[in-house]
Amino acid sequence: HHTLYLVSEDGRAAAISVDSLPEVEKFADGAPLHKVSPFEETELLAAIFSIPPRGSSPVEDKFVLTVSRMGMVKKSALAELPGPSAQIFVLAKANPADSIGWAAVTGGADEFLLVTALGMGIRFSEGEVRPMGLVAAGVNGIKLGAADYVVGVDRVTAGLEVLILAANGKAWRLAVEEFPLQGRYGQGVQICRLERAIKLIGTLSGKKTQSALVHFRQ
């Protein structure tokens, strides 16, 4: 009975009822995106999230946080999101040469970690980001160096660990507490020293007992 929101790289979104999606046992039997949503066949999704039916769970104090590749952070109230419809709406405006990379439902005071390709990371509270209308682009989350961009966004809490992976297969496992809680739009801290031409490509956060999946391009 949830409403599923599909978010494209340009910040547009579509809301569809989970009930309308076919239930299958194999990935290969799934329905093509353009047949179950208003998106075209060639469009690329950046993120998905779902929310329960209106009235079954309070949404007044809930938000959706989007983060772009260039570090723009945007917070929107869940109550402002439209229900299932055949129409596409703008969830967050993506600036030229930028694209949306992540979206997460939040409680209004969650902490997030942004990690960049060149090895910088910043941890801040979403309380630093005021709610905005749907068509806004948001505010800066991290000061990026030349040719740098965000590769990982994680909601973090004390006691968890963060796995940070580089393109050559090397990884770092760090406690959340190693990232000081800062104000939004700082340079952050240097996470690791990277070999020449090697960049970070992704992050995951969780408990030591949880498993992670790495997806290779080939």
Side-chain angles (χ1 to χ4, degrees), residues 22-60:
E23 187 173 349
V24 298
E25 293 184 0
K26 299 179 182 178
F27 282 118
D29 296 332
L33 180 68
H34 66 280
K35 291 188 176 181
V36 295
S37 77
F39 283 118
E40 299 294 332
E41 187 174 4
T42 57
E43 294 187 274
L44 298 177
L45 292 187
I48 64 173
F49 63 94
S50 71
I51 63 173
R54 309 285 169 132
S56 65
S57 177
V59 297
E60 289 75 16

Side-chain angles (χ1 to χ4, degrees), residues 4 19 22 28 46 79 82 89 93 102 104 115 121-123 126 138 179 199 211:
L4 181 68
D19 282 340
F89 68 97
K93 178 184 176 183
W102 300 266
V115 173
I122 188 171
R123 173 184 162 212
E126 67 163 301
F179 298 90
K199 295 181 178 180
S211 300

Side-chain angles (χ1 to χ4, degrees), residues 13-212:
I16 60 177
S17 171
V18 172
D19 282 340
S20 68
L21 298 174
E23 187 173 349
V24 298
E25 293 184 0
K26 299 179 182 178
F27 282 118
D29 296 332
L33 180 68
H34 66 280
K35 291 188 176 181
V36 295
S37 77
F39 283 118
E40 299 294 332
E41 187 174 4
T42 57
E43 294 187 274
L44 298 177
L45 292 187
I48 64 173
F49 63 94
S50 71
I51 63 173
R54 309 285 169 132
S56 65
S57 177
V59 297
E60 289 75 16
D61 57 347
K62 301 288 185 181
F63 302 88
V64 56
L65 191 82
T66 59
V67 182
S68 78
R69 294 287 177 181
M70 299 309 295
M72 297 297 291
V73 180
K74 159 83 181 305
K75 184 163 74 172
S76 305
L78 284 189
E80 293 186 8
L81 301 186
S85 170
Q87 303 297 318
I88 290 178
F89 68 97
V90 177
L91 176 63
K93 178 184 176 183
N95 292 324
D98 197 1
S99 62
I100 302 300
W102 300 266
V105 176
T106 74
D110 294 338
E111 293 180 7
F112 281 85
L113 174 68
L114 273 57
V115 173
T116 76
L118 298 184
M120 303 300 293
I122 188 171
R123 173 184 162 212
F124 63 89
S125 169
E126 67 163 301
E128 298 266 337
V129 184
R130 63 178 178 82
M132 302 178 189
L134 291 180
V135 296
V139 295
N140 289 295
I142 185 172
K143 290 182 180 178
L144 294 172
D148 205 0
Y149 53 92
V150 177
V151 297
V153 176
D154 287 278
R155 178 171 26 209
V156 295
T157 57
L160 296 185
E161 292 189 345
V162 182
L163 177 70
I164 299 166
L165 185 65
N168 61 353
K170 291 185 178 180
W172 293 259
R173 200 182 87 188
L174 303 170
V176 168
E177 289 77 9
E178 293 196 39
F179 298 90
L181 186 63
Q182 298 179 266
R184 174 188 61 80
Y185 198 39
Q187 289 183 328
V189 296
Q190 185 173 18
I191 298 171
C192 54
R193 294 191 180 277
L194 296 169
E195 299 174 29
R196 188 179 181 130
I198 298 298
K199 295 181 178 180
L200 298 181
I201 52 88
T203 64
L204 286 171
S205 65
K207 299 178 180 179
K208 296 179 182 179
T209 54
Q210 289 180 300
S211 300

